[in-house]
Amino acid sequence: MTIQSDVFVILGVTILLCLAVIALSKKIDKTDPLAKPHGLVLLAIMLVETLDNQVKDNVGPRIAKNLSPYVTTIAIYIFLSNILGLFGFSSPTGNYSVTLMLTIITWVLVQIAQLKAGGFKAYMHSFIEPIPVFLPMNIFGKFSTLLSMSLRLFGNVLCGGIIMSLVYSFTSWCSTALINFIVPVGSAFNFIAPILTPALHFYFDLFAGFIQTLIFITLTMVFIGNEVPEEMKKA
């Protein structure tokens, strides 16, 4: 896929996400607050409450007010991006620039949490702990999170897309070979793919897409939570 098409897919996913959020927001605004929620409204409430509780458990209610919207947004964005293979599109998270940017945001939030928790002096001193000779390793350690999170998400999504492309190529060859064995017609419809690929799509797109989304947001909450003092979590 070319860079231009990657950009269009990424922009398309972002626009669709924004439109979906706006539509859901209008639907929620029209909902009777005293009535029992159902349908999309119920799903939205369950999603927000679940993620908000997870964030509170990791960073405390005070910080969760600002962090929960971010975690919810990236969870929805990453999951929708991961399942685009079901609709015949390349996933934006299969582009390293996308996963790197998402991870940079998380990494910056981790550094901000560390700065607020210990102050600038303690933050800078952490580079030479326990002794100055550990400076190179501590610098690498600061950026290892950036690399590991971005490469994990990118690698898993990209590998799933490559495997599905190989499966479709193989089933296309098998379909053509089988039809031509019976009646020589040249190229043929790939009739084997609809039989074999649904289960693979369920694993690589839905299941793996959900798991990778869960891992990313969990690491985001845990890494930030590790930098927040216990007394601040209870405030």
Side-chain angles (χ1 to χ4, degrees):
M1 180 173 283
T2 63
I3 295 177
Q4 289 82 358
S5 57
D6 277 343
V7 172
F8 284 129
V9 170
I10 295 168
L11 288 176
V13 173
T14 305
I15 292 173
L16 287 176
L17 176 58
C18 293
L19 292 176
V21 171
I22 293 172
L24 183 59
S25 177
K26 289 183 178 180
K27 187 175 182 63
I28 293 176
D29 290 339
K30 296 178 181 179
T31 303
D32 184 0
L34 300 179
K36 185 177 180 180
H38 62 277
L40 289 176
V41 175
L42 178 60
L43 290 176
I45 292 174
M46 291 175 60
L47 174 64
V48 172
E49 286 185 347
T50 300
L51 291 177
D52 187 56
N53 290 332
Q54 289 295 320
V55 176
K56 287 179 180 178
D57 290 340
N58 283 278
V59 302
R62 180 180 172 185
I63 300 177
K65 292 180 180 179
N66 296 321
L67 186 61
S68 291
Y70 167 69
V71 172
T72 303
T73 301
I74 61 171
I76 296 173
Y77 181 83
I78 293 174
F79 181 71
L80 290 179
S81 297
N82 289 347
I83 66 173
L84 273 186
L86 292 172
F87 307 100
F89 297 101
S90 295
S91 172
T93 43
N95 185 317
Y96 185 62
S97 62
V98 175
T99 60
L100 179 61
M101 184 53 62
L102 291 172
T103 309
I104 286 175
I105 299 173
T106 292
W107 183 82
V108 170
L109 292 176
V110 173
Q111 307 312 307
I112 292 174
Q114 190 174 359
L115 278 166
K116 287 185 175 181
F120 182 76
K121 185 177 180 179
Y123 178 81
M124 297 305 297
H125 190 268
S126 65
F127 284 96
I128 56 173
E129 293 179 346
I131 55 178
V133 73
F134 280 85
L135 176 62
M137 287 176 282
N138 287 333
I139 293 176
F140 179 78
K142 288 289 185 184
F143 291 94
S144 61
T145 301
L146 189 63
L147 293 174
S148 63
M149 288 184 66
S150 59
L151 288 174
R152 181 186 292 108
L153 179 58
F154 165 71
N156 281 279
V157 175
L158 180 64
C159 288
I162 292 174
I163 291 174
M164 290 308 302
S165 297
L166 293 175
V167 169
Y168 275 108
S169 297
F170 178 70
T171 54
S172 178
W173 178 84
C174 290
S175 298
T176 301
L178 185 59
I179 291 297
N180 279 277
F181 179 75
I182 301 173
V183 180
V185 293
S187 60
F189 172 70
N190 186 3
F191 63 90
I192 298 179
I195 302 173
L196 297 179
T197 56
L200 295 175
H201 273 300
F202 174 80
Y203 177 78
F204 287 112
D205 292 319
L206 285 177
F207 179 73
F210 172 76
I211 293 298
Q212 292 306 315
T213 302
L214 183 62
I215 290 174
F216 192 93
I217 63 173
T218 300
L219 290 176
T220 296
M221 292 183 290
V222 170
F223 286 146
I224 295 176
N226 288 340
E227 304 300 336
V228 178
E230 289 298 324
E231 58 271 15
M232 190 177 293
K233 294 180 182 180
K234 299 176 182 178

